[in-house]
């Protein structure tokens, strides 16, 4: 029996088995066992007497007290807390991973095949349904048999006693408790029998039998008959046939000695013993016995690994595991939380979408292979706008020690609390927060600011009102250019660093920081964002998950949700546990979010990521970190948002991507559009395939009060006009003008514009047009330009004006 096998019999027949395997003489062991059996015969007598005490008319005070103590309900008998395995499930109910201290799945008695129940009863306790806590007849019979053979061949403990013994072992919380549960003493046996008697009063026989089948160890790391059936035969206990049931019933007494994998011969002999015992009891026919004895073991071993290493979504699985291990909602201490996860038998339903996860992993692995020659890495997190649900999380590594190439324990997609990553600088993806702050301040799309070629920060204050000074000269990265004016639209499309530094100063550094924080941004180590003038250039270390959730806020029209991975947790009884909330709330006016979406859509069609569209409404922003130390892309539709990072785990500044060659393909310098954007595009296309496309909303009209802010408009031809008239016409078209040196002209009279640079056509508004008046040529016939204004001074037909002597026109910032 299991109790005898793991305790009393461990010193008996199991000891003989191990002695024989080691090649040692068994005589000494046999003598020791016989001496122990003599002691057990005395113990058996005591146990039988204790059970009989209540029925005897004893008058001794000691006897009455003993009987009262034995029959009373033990206060320390706890039948709860038996470890069960927990499962993490994807949104579709498929299993992502399993966690356990003991691989156990509790089942009801009716979920175990009747033939399996009979097999266990036949070999362990055939009179279980006929006797009480102690089978006196069976105990005495076992003693006689064991004394006859000189070793433990039959156990004397009934199924209820075996359940008690294993319950005490399983629920032990300390080494001392485990030692007490194993010690071979009369006190322990009396205590177990007392517990068994209490259980017989508390539960039905079926309930006790079910508990026994669920707690017993069957070898192979499988606890309980359901886990054992799945392990050895890849089927549920409800589908076991006679030979399979007999094999499992046979290993219960000595799981190690009868291990079907390591000792198939011994296991088959033991199985056949069970089959013959069933026939002897008349529980199977002789024909069934003969057929079963001829069958091979028929093992179909299926191992259930514990943890995330072998999961199909390892880093998402690891994120969920860390969520449970770190969030106080799952327990006050780390030890309590770990116990809940690995012993609690939880069913953890998550937000993971299998199709999205597969598409993301495929895209990441395709563009940045796991063992690539450049040792670069990539990570992506995908979040659903409006819910915060994490739909996918991919890293181009396997989960494991980084001592082996292509593996890492660090989840580059998550914060330090959920993946050990300290985060990475996000580059120009942070410009979206400055843009949002400007639009919230009601700046129209056509607002134009001068973007210098270099910028020395001045005039900045942090959220405490302290002035921030810096002698650092900040320049434009290669994905933008300066030295001219840009609108909110064109400055964003071209990702002009100095434009955004000027814009950040206009709207306020604190306002920009607060905007990012409202959208859920914080550093990957959990600390608040650092506040420096270069905030808009993305120097803060963040995770792809946080960035994806922030951009998802734009897609959800200003509704921000904390990223969540767990939708529901239930315990073995079906009771729901509290889980972290997404805390969704409106943090940005819908119209402001619509305006951000309008501008960021152009990045995919006209800006730094042009050509990376999805064939459906989408928006996004590239990010290239200083010195090409990393590259990002964050983008979204109304249905899904994602952020991608590509860099070097060894350190981006030590290993920049300035002239990257990877697995035979060379990229030169890596921008946000070079590798991250294609990863984003491929994963989004795969994730959204077959889903109807959702559209963005048109921004409020007041954002168009200064025009669309687009790059180019028609530059009017002002040649032949008087200089003053030409200047007025250019200004009305949104251009600035300056007067250059007069030129000889045989076409235009003196005082009129002879040349303009740039020439007429489509040009970016806000640019400067240089006008060069004609010195005149008496032989040249006057050119009459097309009417462009009312008659009068400076207009067509008006009097000639002298060439004005005026300085270059400096148009103030809009």
């Amino acid at each position: 029996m299991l109790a005898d096998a793991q305790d009393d019999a461990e010193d008996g027949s199991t000891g003989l088995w191990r002695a024989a395997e080691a090649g040692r003489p068994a005589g000494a062991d046999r003598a020791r066992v016989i001496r122990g059996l003599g002691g057990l015969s005395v113990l058996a007598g005591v146990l039988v007497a204790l059970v009989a005490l209540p029925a005897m008319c004893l008058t001794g005070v000691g006897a009455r007290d003993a009987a009262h103590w034995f029959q009373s309900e033990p206060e320390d008998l706890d039948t709860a807390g038996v470890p069960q395995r927990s499962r993490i499930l994807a949104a579709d109910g498929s299993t992502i991973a399993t966690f356990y201290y003991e691989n156990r799945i509790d089942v009801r008695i009716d979920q175990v095949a009747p033939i399996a129940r009979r097999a266990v009863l036949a070999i362990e306790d055939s009179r279980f349904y006929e006797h009480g806590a102690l089978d006196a007849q069976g105990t005495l019979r076992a003693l006689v048999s064991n004394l006859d053979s000189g070793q433990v061949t039959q156990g004397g403990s009934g199924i209820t006693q075996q359940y008690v013994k294993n319950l005490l072992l399983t629920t032990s919380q300390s080494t001392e408790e485990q030692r007490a549960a194993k010690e071979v003493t009369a006190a322990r046996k009396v205590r177990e029998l007392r517990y068994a008697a209490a259980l017989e009063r508390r539960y039905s026989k079926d309930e006790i039998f079910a508990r026994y089948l669920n707690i017993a160890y069957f070898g192979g790391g499988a606890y309980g008959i359901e886990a054992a059936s799945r392990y050895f035969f890849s089927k549920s206990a409800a589908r076991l046939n006679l030979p399979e049931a007999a094999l499992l019933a046979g290993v219960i007494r000595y799981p190690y000695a009868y291990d079907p994998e390591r000792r198939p011969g011994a296991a088959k002999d033991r199985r056949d013993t069970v089959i013959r015992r069933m026939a002897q009891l008349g529980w199977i026919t002789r024909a069934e016995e003969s057929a079963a004895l001829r069958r091979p073991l028929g093992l179909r071993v299926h191992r259930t690994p514990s943890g995330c290493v072998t999961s199909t979504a390892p880093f998402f699985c690891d994120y969920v595991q860390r969520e449970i291990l770190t969030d106080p909602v799952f327990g006050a201490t780390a030890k309590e939380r770990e116990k809940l996860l690995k012993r609690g038998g939880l069913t953890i339903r998550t937000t993971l979408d299998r199709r999205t996860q597969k598409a993301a992993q495929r895209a990441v692995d395709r563009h940045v292979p796991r063992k690539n020659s450049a040792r670069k890495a990539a990570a992506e997190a995908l979040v659903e706008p409006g819910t915060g649900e994490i739909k996918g999380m991919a890293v181009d590594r396997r989960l494991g020690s980084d001592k082996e190439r292509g593996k890492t324990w660090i989840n580059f997609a998550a914060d330090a609390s959920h993946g050990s990553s300290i985060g990475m600088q996000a580059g120009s993806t942070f410009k979206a927060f400055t843009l949002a702050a400007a639009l919230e301040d009601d700046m129209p799309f056509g607002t134009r600011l001068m973007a210098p070629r270099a910028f020395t920060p001045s005039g900045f204050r942090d959220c405490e009102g302290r002035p921030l000074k810096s002698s650092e000269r900040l320049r434009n990265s290669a994905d933008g250019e300066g030295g001219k004016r840009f609108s909110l639209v064109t400055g964003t499309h071209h990702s002009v660093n100095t434009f955004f530094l000027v814009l950040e100063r206009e709207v306020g550094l604190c306002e920009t920081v607060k905007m990012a924080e409202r959208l859920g941004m914080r550093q990957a180590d959990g600390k608040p964002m650092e506040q420096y003038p270069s905030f808009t250039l993305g120097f803060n270390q963040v995770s792809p998950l946080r960035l994806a959730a922030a951009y998802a806020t734009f897609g959800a029209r200003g509704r921000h949700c904390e990223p969540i991975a767990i939708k529901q947790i239930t315990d073995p009884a079906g009771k729901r546990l509290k889980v972290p909330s997404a805390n969704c709330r409106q943090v940005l006016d819908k119209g402001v979010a619509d305006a951000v979406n309008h501008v960021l859509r152009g990045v995919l069609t006209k800006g730094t990521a042009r050509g990376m569209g999805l064939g459906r409404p989408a928006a996004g922003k590239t990010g290239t970190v200083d010195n090409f130390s990393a590259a990002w892309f964050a983008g979204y539709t109304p249905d899904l948002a994602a952020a991608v990072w590509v860099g070097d785990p060894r350190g981006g500044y030590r290993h920049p991507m300035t002239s990257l060659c990877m697995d035979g393909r060379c990229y030169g310098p890596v921008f946000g559009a070079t590798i991250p954007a294609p990863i984003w595009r491929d994963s989004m296309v795969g994730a959204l395939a077959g889903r109807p496309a959702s559209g963005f909303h048109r921004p409020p009209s007041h954002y168009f009060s200064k025009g669309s802010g687009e790059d180019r408009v028609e530059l009017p031809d002002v040649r032949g006009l008087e200089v003053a008239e030409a200047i007025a016409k250019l200004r009305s078209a949104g251009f600035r003008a300056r007067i250059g040196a007069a030129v000889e002209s045989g076409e235009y009279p003196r005082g009129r514009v002879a040349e303009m640079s740039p020439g007429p056509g489509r040009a970016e508004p806000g640019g400067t047009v240089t006008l060069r008046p004609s010195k005149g040529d008496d032989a040249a016939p006057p050119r009459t330009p097309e009417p462009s204004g009312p008659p009068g001074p400076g207009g067509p037909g008006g009097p000639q004006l002298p060439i004005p002597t005026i300085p270059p026109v400096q148009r103030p910032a809009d």
Side-chain angles (χ1 to χ4, degrees), residues 635-673:
Y636 57 97
T637 72
D639 303 304
L640 189 63
V644 179
W645 163 83
V646 175
D648 199 306
R650 299 169 296 174
Y653 285 100
R654 286 188 293 124
H655 303 278
M657 297 186 291
T658 49
S659 55
L660 178 66
C661 287
M662 185 167 56
D663 293 350
R665 182 176 182 182
C666 291
Y667 298 88
V670 175
F671 300 95

Side-chain angles (χ1 to χ4, degrees), residues 194-368:
R194 181 187 179 219
Y195 287 163
L199 289 175
E200 291 273 354
R201 295 191 297 269
R202 184 183 299 182
Y203 301 116
S204 68
K205 284 287 190 178
D206 278 351
E207 177 65 18
I208 293 171
F209 191 26
R211 287 169 176 264
Y212 169 73
L213 291 174
N214 284 322
I215 203 172
Y217 181 61
F218 289 80
Y223 291 81
I225 196 167
E226 180 68 18
S229 181
R230 295 188 187 191
Y231 178 83
F232 288 111
F233 301 113
S234 298
K235 61 170 64 174
S236 68
R239 297 173 52 224
L240 290 169
N241 58 35
L242 173 56
E244 295 166 346
L247 178 68
L248 295 184
V251 303
I252 292 178
R253 181 179 295 184
Y254 307 130
Y256 305 101
Y258 301 133
D259 184 342
E261 291 183 278
R262 297 176 57 197
R263 300 186 175 102
K268 185 176 185 303
D269 290 344
R270 179 63 175 168
R271 182 203 71 174
D272 293 350
T273 299
V274 175
I275 293 171
R276 293 188 182 99
R277 175 62 176 159
M278 295 176 73
Q280 180 185 357
L281 291 168
W283 292 358
I284 60 174
T285 66
R286 291 298 176 183
E288 289 173 324
E289 175 190 18
S290 298
L293 291 173
R294 291 193 299 270
R295 293 282 295 276
L297 293 183
L299 298 181
R300 293 181 59 199
V301 174
H302 174 75
R303 291 174 173 81
T304 301
S306 178
C308 297
V309 171
T310 59
S311 172
T312 55
F315 290 94
F316 178 83
C317 170
D318 186 62
Y319 183 93
V320 173
Q321 176 185 203
R322 291 172 187 258
E323 175 80 4
I324 294 174
L325 295 180
T326 59
D327 197 319
V329 75
F330 297 111
T333 66
K335 186 176 181 180
E336 288 179 14
R337 296 190 287 269
E338 183 176 13
K339 181 179 177 181
L340 176 66
L341 176 62
K342 295 184 178 179
R343 297 170 62 98
L346 306 178
T347 299
I348 304 162
R349 298 186 180 276
T350 71
T351 59
L352 185 82
D353 179 74
R354 285 284 192 183
R355 181 169 62 178
T356 300
Q357 176 65 27
K358 184 177 180 180
Q361 193 66 60
R362 185 170 55 239
V364 165
D365 291 344
R366 175 189 171 194
H367 292 279
V368 187

Side-chain angles (χ1 to χ4, degrees), residues 405-420:
R405 191 175 169 197
K407 291 185 177 181
T408 183
W409 289 118
I410 299 174
N411 185 351
F412 298 118
D415 287 350
S417 61
H418 289 72
S420 302

Side-chain angles (χ1 to χ4, degrees), residues 591-654:
V592 175
D594 294 338
V596 172
N597 299 337
H598 173 80
V599 176
L600 294 186
R601 288 186 68 180
V603 173
L604 295 170
T605 56
K606 307 167 187 176
T608 53
R610 56 186 172 275
M612 292 292 136
L614 306 178
R616 64 171 68 210
K621 182 70 188 72
T622 54
T624 306
V625 182
D626 190 34
N627 197 39
F628 297 98
S629 58
W632 290 72
F633 188 83
Y636 57 97
T637 72
D639 303 304
L640 189 63
V644 179
W645 163 83
V646 175
D648 199 306
R650 299 169 296 174
Y653 285 100
R654 286 188 293 124

Side-chain angles (χ1 to χ4, degrees), residues 470-684:
S470 174
S471 59
E472 180 183 12
R473 283 177 63 80
L474 302 173
R475 297 182 179 274
N476 291 299
S477 61
D479 55 357
E481 69 277 355
K484 57 184 179 181
R485 296 170 70 83
F486 292 90
S487 70
L488 290 187
V489 174
T490 57
T492 302
H493 290 177
H494 295 286
S495 194
V496 185
N497 285 355
T498 55
F499 172 83
F500 273 93
L501 288 165
V502 173
L503 181 62
E504 182 184 58
R505 185 170 59 189
E506 288 286 317
V507 300
L509 170 61
C510 183
E511 283 68 19
T512 300
V513 172
K514 287 183 176 179
M515 173 62 69
E517 290 176 342
R518 279 157 54 192
L519 298 175
M521 294 305 301
R522 62 170 181 257
Q523 293 194 84
D525 61 6
K527 295 179 181 178
M529 303 294 237
E530 293 187 355
Q531 301 177 29
Y532 292 102
S534 56
F535 180 89
T536 190
L537 305 184
F539 71 86
N540 276 280
Q541 308 265 10
V542 300
S543 69
L545 179 60
R546 285 277 158 198
L547 193 63
Y551 273 64
T553 306
F554 298 139
R557 304 189 73 197
R559 180 176 170 81
H560 174 71
C561 302
E562 286 293 315
I564 57 169
I566 301 172
K567 297 179 73 171
Q568 177 183 301
I569 298 180
T570 53
D571 65 14
K575 179 183 176 182
R576 288 193 178 187
L577 277 62
K578 184 178 179 181
V579 299
S581 168
N583 295 317
C584 297
R585 60 196 184 282
Q586 196 75 27
V587 299
L588 198 62
D589 183 80
K590 290 181 179 180
V592 175
D594 294 338
V596 172
N597 299 337
H598 173 80
V599 176
L600 294 186
R601 288 186 68 180
V603 173
L604 295 170
T605 56
K606 307 167 187 176
T608 53
R610 56 186 172 275
M612 292 292 136
L614 306 178
R616 64 171 68 210
K621 182 70 188 72
T622 54
T624 306
V625 182
D626 190 34
N627 197 39
F628 297 98
S629 58
W632 290 72
F633 188 83
Y636 57 97
T637 72
D639 303 304
L640 189 63
V644 179
W645 163 83
V646 175
D648 199 306
R650 299 169 296 174
Y653 285 100
R654 286 188 293 124
H655 303 278
M657 297 186 291
T658 49
S659 55
L660 178 66
C661 287
M662 185 167 56
D663 293 350
R665 182 176 182 182
C666 291
Y667 298 88
V670 175
F671 300 95
T674 309
I675 300 177
I679 291 175
W680 174 84
R681 178 192 57 199
D682 290 355
S683 60
M684 293 285 285

